[in-house]
Every structure is written in C-alpha cells, then in structure tokens.
Amino acid sequence: MILKKIQNFLGFNKASGKEIVINVEPLERRVAVLENKVLEDFSIERDSDRSISGNIYKGRVHNIEPALKALFVDLNLEKNAFLHYWDAMPAALDSGVEKVERAGHKSRRKKITPDDIPNLYPPGSDIIVQVTKGPIGQKGARITTNISLAGRYLVLMPFSDQSGISRKINDPNERQRLRKILSNLTIPDGMAVIIRTVGEGAKTRYFVRDLALLIEQWREIEERLKTEKAPSLLLAEPGIIGRTVRDFLTADVDRITVDDIDTAERIKKNISRISKRSEKKVHLYSGAVPLFESLQINRQIDNAFRRIVWLKSGAYIVIDETEALVAIDVNTGRNKSSTNHDNTILNTNMEAAEEISRQLRLRNIGGLIVIDFIDMKHRKDQHAVVNYLKDFVRKDRAKTHVLPISQLGLVEMTRQRLQESISQSVYMECPSCKGKGMVKTPETISVELQRDIGRVFSKNKDIHELRILVHPEIMNRLRKEDQELLVDLERKYESRLAFRTDNKVFIEEYKIINGHTEEEIDISHA
C-alpha cells in the first residue's frame, strides 16, 4: 500500500487523460481524440466521400505531358491521376526520417533520371502506384510509384533500400536501441522499413511481428498484381476506424469508447494482433444520451468550426479559408489582464499559437497558412512565439513547416494537404450569398431594381404594367424611403408598377413579371 502511494505521488500508474471516442451511424463515422476531456483531434468519414489517399492501384498510363513533366494515369476514377516525373523516381528518405545503414545491405538499384520516365512508362503501359493526395476540387488524385505500407510500428517500403527512424523520437539512447533493432530485422532484399514514432519504447518482438504482417500484406498485393487487369484497386487504405487503431492507439491512451457493438468487436480483433493487453481499453457505450453529446464533444466541434475562436484569456483568433491560402488573425479582444503591455501581447500570442495548432488539426486545414500574430517589439518574444508554435505542431501527423516571423510581422507555414478540409466535407457553399458571407443592403437592391425596371420599359415599348416580387425587407425599404422614386418611374414610362412580397425570394433577388402575359422577364436580356 505504501509503495502504491509513493508510485502515485511520483506519477507512476497515472492516467494520461487521453481517450479515443468513436461514433458509428448509418451515414457517417466520427472519431474524436480527447485529452483531459478537451477535443484535440477530429475525423469524419462518410460513404459518399471516403478518402482514397493511401490506396494502391494497378493503373494504366493514359498520356504523357512533357511540358508538365507528368504522366496522367487511369485508375478507374472520375479523373485521371497526376504522376509527376519526380514522383515516378525512387525517392530519398523524408527529412523527418534519419537514415540507418544496415550492415551488408548495399544499393543495387539502377539510377533513374527524369529523362528515363517516358521510356519506362510509355502510354498504355501498366504501373503500380499509391495515392498521396486524394482528388481536391477540380484536380485529380496525386500519385507516386514509391509505395509504402503503414503498420503499427513500422512502415514497409517494398521498392526502396533506405531504412530509417523517425526524427520525432528525441531520446539519443532510445534512438541507439532502435538502430540496433533495425539492423537485426530480417528485411527481404530490395525492401526497407522506417520505424514510426509510436515505436519508441516498444519491445523487439513487436517490430518483428509487425514486419511479418506487412510482408504478408505485400505478398498478397503482388499476387493480385499478377492476376488483376489495369486499372484496378490492389489495396484500400483502412477506413477511419482501422486508421484510428493503427495511428492513435499509443501507450498513453487510457480508453477507447465505441457506441456500436460490431465496431467494438472489430477493434478488439485488430488490437489483439498488436497487444492482447490493450483489448481491455475498448469499452462499449450504451447510454441513452448519444455518445458525443454525453461527453460534450458536439459542442466543442461546433465551437471549433466558427470563424472566430475565443481563447480563455479573452483574446480571439479569426480563421478565413480561401482557395489560395488560410489567413489567421490574432486579436487581444477582452484580454487586458496584465499591467505590462508587452507581457500581455506575448502571453496572448503564446495562447493563440497553441490554439492555432489545435485548430489546424481539428479542421484538417492544409496548404499555405499565414498567421498575423499581435505585433511584438522584442525579437526574443517573436522567436519565443514561433518556437512555441513549432513545439505544438510537432504532434501533428501531417507534415508541417514553419518559417520565422517576416519583416511584415507575419508567420508563414505549410501543412500537408492529404484531402479536403473538414469544413469542405461538412459544409457547402451558401446558394444565396455564393460563399461571400455578406449580402447587399436594401438600399443597393432598391437602386438595382429601379435600374432594371427602367431598362425593361425602355426596351419593351409594348409593356405598360409590371408585377414585382421582392423580399419583405426590400418592400419595407421601398415603402418607407423610395415610394416617390417609384411613382416618378410610373410617370416617366406611363406605366403601372405592382409590388408583392415573397418570403421564398432571397433578399438580393427579385422577380419582374409582365403584367399582361404573366411571364417572368429575364432581366439579364431585358
């Protein structure tokens, strides 16, 4: 008992407060990662828009575009996939991976240059590729010939001879231990592996078992490659449930809560291949209140997708997504907590940096991101904020790159874009404002309406009566402030105007109808 108290006091056996929550419904699956009840990661998957990123295909080269240095490959998708020459060449290890030389293994691969690609993959030839980025907007999928299979602790690269270790593992002693494990793994000739960040602290037998499973999976792909005709799918990346178990089930996860019995059993089965002990972490939720509601996750999701995100200090950040980039602005708001102005700004920017990194993960925002922190006088404060931001984005599974604060006081960063952002999956463009988020004022609508009425009468001399349908708010403006102007129009054209309200008419729209024929007039051609 005394020993247990000492262990608890020193932090042993202490729960991390990290929980994975999975909601399964007929149309969608949602996964939330909580840390001390705070939403830190959120994913959503629907049958209608399931991601193909990570899928492996046997494709057929459709055509080559020398000017773009690219091949377009038929994968039996809506649009041909894009394969840049550089993505068709053996790739060097990513900067986030430390290369580890394995004794007795030397590269026997023939060097390939971009000039070789058109000859290696002429139009009509078969090619095995993997999707690195799913279709986004009008663009087809981005693909590579550098195939990789992700396991729990390892990534198998069947066409590479460069093995390595994730640089996110910082402990030098642990890195040395993992180098030794990597050197002793029995990896088939012509293949390589990368030890993932989750491999930190894992026992040797876990890597051996993971490697065996990955090699078995690759052999199955090779068999399909021989028998399937192009274009065809050779391997589908696991759905959101499978990816969650593979990528998020680390030692610091205390609990996995699922509200569907079949999914819970499937997760236990997948986990048992990795760790029998971890099966106990899976719990089936059967409460009357919906799972996400009971843990207040829905409220956190709603708050996360607002344009303005408030911080605990009273400051706030504004997030605007555009086609070219994402702009994030930091404002002090109600934060007047410190008598030292410089400290208030520094603390606000620090708090904003942490929340921004969280928002990027939650919204799955990718591409170019520009952050306008509150101006800081001292260079050391600027460095501190940027370094603080870098610390928090390191936990992001997507690759990120953060630049120092520019002379204009802006931080530019990039985040790997693998698929559409969550907002683009959940929301659609407003059919009324067309994504502007703003509508014209009643005064502007009145001006445009009067202009169109004059144009209709001028071009159609035989029309002497118009019936006009407008939004009630516009009618209010016409009655109170513009009635005399409308009377002047009737006098000028010796015609009659009759107005009627229609709640179904969008505030910016109006309908002009020929009073004689009852036909709506096309204003654009009036």
Side-chain angles (χ1 to χ4, degrees):
M1 180 65 74
I2 295 175
L3 177 60
K4 193 169 184 179
K5 287 183 178 179
I6 294 173
Q7 287 177 332
N8 290 335
F9 178 78
L10 294 176
F12 296 117
N13 303 324
K14 186 178 180 182
S16 67
K18 191 170 183 178
E19 180 178 3
I20 297 172
V21 183
I22 301 174
N23 165 230
V24 179
E25 295 175 348
L27 291 178
E28 71 177 16
R29 275 96 27 219
R30 297 186 295 172
V31 175
V33 178
L34 306 179
E35 290 187 21
N36 298 316
K37 304 300 181 184
V38 176
L39 183 65
E40 288 293 333
D41 211 301
F42 175 66
S43 303
I44 184 171
E45 179 184 78
R46 292 173 177 165
D47 293 337
S48 59
D49 56 6
R50 181 164 172 173
S51 171
I52 64 169
S53 183
N55 285 5
I56 298 175
Y57 291 87
K58 181 179 183 179
R60 176 164 292 138
V61 178
H62 184 269
N63 63 297
I64 300 175
E65 292 291 344
L68 297 175
K69 293 189 177 300
L71 295 80
F72 286 90
V73 181
D74 180 11
L75 303 182
N76 200 26
L77 301 175
E78 189 175 337
K79 293 181 179 178
N80 288 336
F82 181 87
L83 176 63
H84 195 278
Y85 284 4
W86 290 108
D87 293 322
M89 297 166 54
L93 287 177
D94 185 85
S95 59
V97 177
E98 175 200 358
K99 183 178 178 181
V100 176
E101 296 290 349
R102 300 180 67 242
H105 288 76
K106 292 185 178 181
S107 176
R108 301 185 183 92
R109 296 188 183 277
K110 182 182 177 182
K111 188 174 181 181
I112 298 175
T113 69
D115 295 335
D116 298 324
I117 301 304
N119 295 325
L120 285 173
Y121 306 111
S125 62
D126 291 348
I127 183 172
I128 179 170
V129 295
Q130 186 169 32
V131 178
T132 56
K133 185 188 295 184
I136 297 177
Q138 299 301 312
K139 298 179 180 178
R142 185 79 180 256
I143 55 178
T144 179
T145 59
N146 293 291
I147 310 297
S148 63
L149 296 177
R152 182 75 185 93
Y153 303 102
L154 300 171
V155 175
L156 176 68
M157 297 173 294
F159 298 141
S160 176
D161 48 26
Q162 297 183 40
S163 295
I165 300 172
S166 168
R167 292 189 188 276
K168 288 187 177 181
I169 301 173
N170 298 315
D171 186 349
N173 292 329
E174 176 62 11
R175 296 185 69 81
Q176 184 59 38
R177 184 185 76 90
L178 293 175
R179 288 191 197 99
K180 187 176 179 181
I181 290 174
L182 182 54
S183 297
N184 292 329
L185 286 176
T186 306
I187 304 171
D189 288 340
M191 297 188 187
V193 298
I194 293 173
I195 293 182
R196 304 181 68 187
T197 309
V198 74
E200 185 172 11
K203 296 178 180 179
T204 303
R205 67 173 183 271
Y206 293 158
F207 295 104
V208 173
R209 184 167 52 192
D210 208 29
L211 178 59
L213 291 172
L214 288 171
I215 292 174
E216 180 184 347
Q217 188 178 44
W218 176 246
R219 297 307 181 202
E220 291 173 359
I221 293 173
E222 286 183 316
E223 287 302 313
R224 295 198 65 187
L225 186 60
K226 295 174 184 175
T227 57
E228 297 282 345
K229 290 184 178 180
S232 60
L233 175 65
L234 300 178
L235 178 73
E237 175 75 355
I240 192 172
I241 308 298
R243 294 197 307 272
T244 297
V245 173
R246 184 188 69 194
D247 299 335
F248 283 109
L249 185 57
T250 50
D252 60 340
V253 172
D254 299 326
R255 183 183 181 94
I256 301 175
T257 306
V258 192
D259 61 3
D260 178 73
I261 187 168
D262 291 336
T263 303
E265 291 302 318
R266 192 163 70 249
I267 290 174
K268 285 182 179 180
K269 185 177 179 181
N270 289 343
I271 290 176
S272 67
R273 301 173 66 187
I274 303 165
S275 170
K276 288 280 187 182
R277 193 182 308 171
S278 295
E279 282 187 69
K280 298 177 182 178
K281 294 183 178 182
V282 181
H283 298 269
L284 178 65
Y285 177 81
S286 56
V289 180
L291 177 57
F292 270 44
E293 200 69 46
S294 68
L295 296 175
Q296 298 185 333
I297 299 174
N298 284 338
R299 180 176 57 81
Q300 293 192 61
I301 292 172
D302 290 339
N303 290 338
F305 288 110
R306 290 176 181 169
R307 180 172 177 263
I308 296 177
V309 180
W310 288 93
L311 307 177
K312 290 180 180 178
S313 64
Y316 65 92
I317 60 178
V318 181
I319 303 176
D320 287 310
E321 287 188 60
T322 71
E323 285 192 26
L325 54 82
V326 177
I328 302 177
D329 187 33
V330 182
N331 297 279
T332 52
R334 300 188 294 263
N335 184 10
K336 313 292 181 187
S337 57
S338 174
T339 54
N340 187 316
H341 185 63
D342 289 343
N343 280 346
T344 299
I345 291 175
L346 176 60
N347 292 334
T348 300
N349 283 337
M350 290 282 203
E351 185 183 16
E354 180 177 353
E355 183 61 28
I356 286 169
S357 69
R358 174 174 170 264
Q359 289 291 329
L360 295 179
R361 293 194 307 275
L362 289 181
R363 300 174 188 231
N364 194 24
I365 289 174
L368 177 61
I369 301 154
V370 178
I371 307 170
D372 185 9
F373 285 105
I374 303 168
D375 290 339
M376 293 169 282
K377 295 179 183 177
H378 307 295
R379 202 69 185 164
K380 64 179 180 63
D381 290 349
Q382 296 178 6
H383 288 313
V385 169
V386 173
N387 289 333
Y388 200 64
L389 177 64
K390 287 180 178 178
D391 286 341
F392 279 100
V393 298
R394 279 195 187 101
K395 68 194 304 188
D396 200 330
R397 288 178 296 123
K399 296 172 186 174
T400 58
H401 182 57
V402 182
L403 296 178
I405 291 182
S406 70
Q407 292 182 339
L408 297 176
L410 303 174
V411 171
E412 297 171 39
M413 67 172 288
T414 59
R415 184 176 184 272
Q416 184 182 20
R417 189 200 297 270
L418 297 176
Q419 59 194 68
E420 299 275 14
S421 68
I422 297 288
S423 62
Q424 289 172 320
S425 299
V426 175
Y427 297 97
M428 60 178 278
E429 182 184 86
C430 172
S432 299
C433 72
K434 307 300 181 186
K436 292 184 298 184
M438 301 176 71
V439 294
K440 295 176 182 176
T441 64
E443 181 180 15
T444 302
I445 301 301
S446 177
V447 170
E448 293 180 355
L449 174 58
Q450 292 175 58
R451 188 180 297 139
D452 283 336
I453 290 171
R455 194 149 53 89
V456 169
F457 281 138
S458 296
K459 291 187 175 183
N460 302 274
K461 301 297 183 181
D462 58 331
I463 295 180
H464 299 287
E465 182 180 347
L466 294 177
R467 290 198 297 107
I468 302 156
L469 272 64
V470 296
H471 187 275
E473 194 169 332
I474 304 304
M475 177 66 88
N476 190 48
R477 161 80 196 196
L478 296 176
R479 281 175 177 166
K480 290 185 177 180
E481 300 179 54
D482 299 332
Q483 190 169 3
E484 285 300 321
L485 296 173
L486 297 173
V487 171
D488 288 343
L489 275 174
E490 288 181 318
R491 291 195 190 112
K492 180 178 179 180
Y493 294 105
E494 298 179 346
S495 300
R496 181 174 176 272
L497 299 174
F499 290 87
R500 189 157 55 91
T501 61
D502 188 346
N503 286 311
K504 296 179 181 178
V505 175
F506 174 51
I507 191 169
E508 284 190 3
E509 296 175 348
Y510 43 81
K511 296 179 181 180
I512 300 179
I513 300 169
N514 187 328
H516 302 296
T517 64
E518 298 295 324
E519 294 178 350
E520 183 178 349
I521 297 172
D522 185 353
I523 302 170
S524 61
H525 296 94

